[in-house]
Amino acid sequence: MDISKPERSATARQRMFEILEHGRRRDFASRIIDGFLVVLVVTNVAVVIAQSVPEVAAEYGTSLYVFDRLCVIVFAIEYAARIWVAPEHPMLRGNSPLMARLRFAGTPLMIIDALALVPWLLELLFPQSTLVPLTRLVRLLKLARYSPAIATIGRVIVSERRALMACVIILSGVLLTAAALMLAIEGHKQPGRLGDMSKTMWWAAAMLAKIGGGETEPVTALGRIVSAITVMLGIFCFALPVAIIGRGFYEEIRRRDFVITFAMVARVPLFSKLDASAIADLVSILRARTVTPGTTLMRQGDRGDAMYFIASGSVEVSSPTLSAHLSEGDFFGEMALLSKEPRIATVTAETSADLLVLEVDDFLRLLDRLPAFKEHIEQVAIERQHGKLKGS
Ligand code: CMP
């Protein structure tokens, strides 16, 4: 393995995958395409709103229509391109290209992308409908792809689904019980307002949501007691899911960006001999990153922008001539920073992993400041270059 002559295996499809799906911070093309699509989605939604105003529609109807058709063409090309690059997705490797594409088409974000194209089809089928144009507002959901916070809420809802389902069951139970009691107590006294289950269920829902029962006031003492209990249970029923989602959100954020501690840095063998002030410096320099199994951290041929220390978990280093496994305490990604050449291997997370990221500028500063750090890293890089050493 020669560090100065890395193998460049990037194909057009790989590159397109990186631009569309990888979303790396430093990839200029990726940022331009993302920015363009975000502007297009927002403008498209604004156009739908504008078209619903009769005066605007009368004056600019044709231009707005043409703009919308252009958007549909761009969204269709985007959808086709995402489907085309699906086999490059790390989680879908090992599937045949067709299977990878089918499975990718079933992911939530791709379903949203497909839904964004449906209004165009509906408009062809039902040209007279006034409701169909409004279905174009679904395109706003495309922005979910660009908002990590929305993805986080989605993950929280999925991970807390059992607790949330329990809340739905409790809420339904309270609603039905309150409705049945009110029907039994006041149904015959106020047949117009509380005379059947559909009416008392509406009353119970209004009481639980604390919007009040409107003009439907209980007229019996027992009815008033049931109303009071229903309102109080409403507070409990609505507070419960809020608390569950809040706690799940906190857990998710904690999992993603764990706090780097002094002990965590000191445990990395390379730093273990540093004095306390140097370790404290590192705590402020290093960035935390948690990754899920299958995440590609760097690809052979990539430009080096950071090196990584493994705080927990394991990764696989692979190239056509190499397959190595690194785990807690090991580091990787140092060779491209030292040689200023592209990455010589692809590194993928094998398990969930907590990583400490050292950006290239900080890395170069550390090399100057800590001669022992420099010597050790260079030694490991030379040994790896000759395919000798795996761990660090
Ligand atoms: P870099 O070339 O920046 O990116 C790929 C990384 O894989 C490389 O740095 C090393 O950190 C790591 N790597 C390369 N060869 C080996 C090896 N033989 N054993 C363990 N890790 C390696």
Side-chain angles (χ1 to χ4, degrees), residues 1 3 298-299 304 306 317-318 322 324-326 331-337 339 341-347 383-391:
M1 223 183 326
I3 193 170
M298 56 188 64
R299 222 176 258 286
V317 180
S318 60
L322 164 78
H325 302 270
L326 301 177
F331 58 78
F332 60 90
E334 78 293 354
M335 293 169 86
L337 305 192
S339 66
E341 294 284 347
R343 304 280 192 201
I344 68 157
T346 296
V347 181
E383 293 187 46
R384 283 178 172 175
Q385 187 183 342
H386 296 296
K388 278 189 200 149
L389 193 83
K390 295 197 165 46

Side-chain angles (χ1 to χ4, degrees), residues 17 21 85-95 100 104 294 296 299:
F17 169 75
E21 299 289 338
V85 303
E88 298 295 331
H89 209 286
M91 296 303 271
L92 296 170
R93 285 200 197 123
N95 289 286
F104 192 59
T296 303
R299 222 176 258 286

Side-chain angles (χ1 to χ4, degrees), residues 80-384:
R82 287 190 195 280
I83 291 285
W84 177 55
V85 303
E88 298 295 331
H89 209 286
M91 296 303 271
L92 296 170
R93 285 200 197 123
N95 289 286
S96 68
L98 177 65
M99 194 39 115
R101 289 185 176 117
L102 285 176
R103 292 182 64 180
F104 192 59
T107 57
L109 289 177
M110 288 306 285
I111 292 175
I112 290 176
D113 280 352
L115 284 178
L117 296 172
V118 169
W120 165 76
L121 207 67
L122 291 177
E123 279 170 35
L124 283 185
L125 295 175
F126 310 103
Q128 303 304 329
S129 167
T130 50
L131 205 63
V132 165
L134 296 180
T135 58
R136 281 194 255 144
L137 291 174
V138 79
R139 288 175 190 156
L140 195 63
L141 294 180
K142 277 171 80 70
L143 295 183
R145 172 169 272 119
Y146 307 101
S147 165
I150 291 186
T152 304
I153 291 176
R155 274 198 299 277
V156 168
I157 291 178
V158 170
S159 67
E160 301 294 336
R161 63 189 177 284
R162 287 192 189 85
L164 291 173
M165 186 47 84
C167 292
V168 171
I169 293 170
I170 293 173
L171 187 61
S172 313
V174 171
L175 181 102
L176 289 173
T177 310
L181 282 175
M182 209 52 176
L183 179 63
I185 297 167
E186 301 225 347
H188 57 287
K189 295 228 182 290
Q190 308 191 60
R193 287 184 178 148
L194 298 169
D196 63 55
M197 266 305 263
S198 70
K199 288 174 183 154
T200 52
M201 276 173 71
W202 157 245
W203 166 86
M207 296 304 271
L208 285 170
K210 299 188 293 297
I211 58 172
E215 291 171 7
T216 313
E217 291 289 326
V219 293
T220 63
L222 207 53
R224 279 193 284 277
I225 291 172
V226 171
S227 300
I229 294 173
T230 308
V231 169
M232 282 189 285
L233 285 176
I235 296 170
F236 167 78
C237 286
F238 284 99
L240 208 57
V242 170
I244 290 169
I245 291 184
R247 195 191 59 91
F249 209 77
Y250 168 76
E251 280 295 318
E252 185 66 30
I253 298 287
R254 198 185 62 80
R255 264 202 294 276
R256 203 170 31 144
D257 279 332
F258 57 93
V259 178
I260 298 179
T261 61
F262 192 101
M264 204 180 276
V265 175
R267 261 204 313 275
V268 175
L270 185 55
F271 300 139
S272 58
K273 296 204 177 64
L274 295 180
D275 63 35
S277 73
I279 294 183
D281 263 5
L282 279 166
V283 172
S284 60
I285 290 173
L286 293 165
R287 188 163 55 80
R289 181 167 172 203
T290 297
V291 291
T292 48
T295 306
T296 303
L297 292 152
M298 56 188 64
R299 222 176 258 286
Q300 186 177 16
D302 273 355
R303 198 162 53 89
D305 51 7
M307 72 169 290
Y308 297 75
F309 300 88
I310 306 176
S312 72
S314 64
V315 300
E316 186 191 5
V317 180
S318 60
S319 76
T321 55
L322 164 78
S323 172
H325 302 270
L326 301 177
S327 55
E328 191 172 328
D330 291 334
F331 58 78
F332 60 90
E334 78 293 354
M335 293 169 86
L337 305 192
L338 286 170
S339 66
K340 302 200 170 54
E341 294 284 347
R343 304 280 192 201
I344 68 157
T346 296
V347 181
T348 312
E350 286 181 308
T351 62
S352 297
D354 286 344
L355 304 170
L356 309 175
V357 187
L358 182 60
E359 303 285 351
V360 60
D361 298 344
D362 296 320
F363 170 82
L364 295 175
R365 235 170 283 139
L366 274 189
L367 287 189
D368 281 346
R369 269 194 4 227
L370 305 172
F373 172 80
K374 180 174 185 220
E375 200 181 313
H376 185 92
I377 289 238
E378 283 178 343
Q379 183 61 32
V380 171
I382 289 169
E383 293 187 46
R384 283 178 172 175

